[in-house]
């Protein structure tokens, strides 16, 4: 399944790229499940991010690798792919994009995922959509025009 959320912000492409830090990453995580960041290398090809998700009765490790990064004068994109995923996910690909516009930029979260069955994909879709919709006001606040 695919989720795509676009967020317009007032900051420049350069400001957004500079702001994609460990602190931003932590602020983008919703309250549940609580996330413990075990490793954050950055947003360049070959970097890894390792999380521990706490579902109260059990914990799950999520490891992603940045497999691609592309930058032009008008856009910046990087892709993370799930290497080790929580039991309820079989595939994960998150294309992070930033596109320059006249009055700022648009941040794009473009996620493709699979749980292994269409039925469980349909159950997970609104949960994951909500998790990424949570990011919109954080992006807007973090990257408001200064």
């Amino acid at each position: 399944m695919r989720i795509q959320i676009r967020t317009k912000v007032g900051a420049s492409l350069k400001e957004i790229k500079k702001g994609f830090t460990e602190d931003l990453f932590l602020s983008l995580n919703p309250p549940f499940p609580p996330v413990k960041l075990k490793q954050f290398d950055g947003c360049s090809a070959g970097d890894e991010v390792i999380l521990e998700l706490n579902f109260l009765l059990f914990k799950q490790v999520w490891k992603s690798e940045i497999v691609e990064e592309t930058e032009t004068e008008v856009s910046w994109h990087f892709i993370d792919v799930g290497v080790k995923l929580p039991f309820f996910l079989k595939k994960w690909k998150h294309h992070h994009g930033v596109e320059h516009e006249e009055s700022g930029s648009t941040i794009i979260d473009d996620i493709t995922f699979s749980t292994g069955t269409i039925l469980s994909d349909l159950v997970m879709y609104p949960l994951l959509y909500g998790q990424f919709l949570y990011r919109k006001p954080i992006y807007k606040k973090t990257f408001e025009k200064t």
Side-chain angles (χ1 to χ4, degrees), residues 1 113 115-126:
M1 300 218 64
F113 73 93
T115 62
T117 69
I118 292 173
L119 181 59
S120 55
D121 283 355
L122 292 171
V123 170
M124 285 300 297
Y125 184 89

Side-chain angles (χ1 to χ4, degrees), residues 35-115:
V35 172
K36 182 176 184 181
L37 184 60
K38 304 289 243 175
Q39 180 177 331
F40 179 87
D41 295 341
C43 304
S44 300
D47 288 347
E48 293 181 339
V49 177
I50 302 174
L51 313 170
E52 182 181 82
L53 308 175
N54 185 348
F55 291 96
L56 303 179
L57 298 176
F58 61 95
K59 296 177 181 177
Q60 292 281 289
V61 172
W62 184 318
K63 178 180 178 182
S64 287
E65 181 181 345
I66 310 300
V67 296
E68 181 181 319
E69 180 189 22
T70 308
E71 184 175 3
T72 69
E73 289 194 23
V74 295
S75 69
W76 175 54
H77 302 266
F78 65 97
I79 299 171
D80 74 78
V81 173
V83 175
K84 180 175 183 172
L85 296 168
F87 73 91
F88 50 85
L89 287 172
K90 301 296 181 225
K91 292 181 184 175
W92 181 266
K93 183 178 181 182
H94 184 176
H95 180 206
H96 306 256
V98 181
E99 295 177 355
H100 171 73
E101 296 176 0
E102 229 173 271
S103 61
S105 301
T106 297
I107 299 172
I108 304 157
D109 285 302
D110 189 351
I111 300 103
T112 306
F113 73 93
S114 174
T115 62

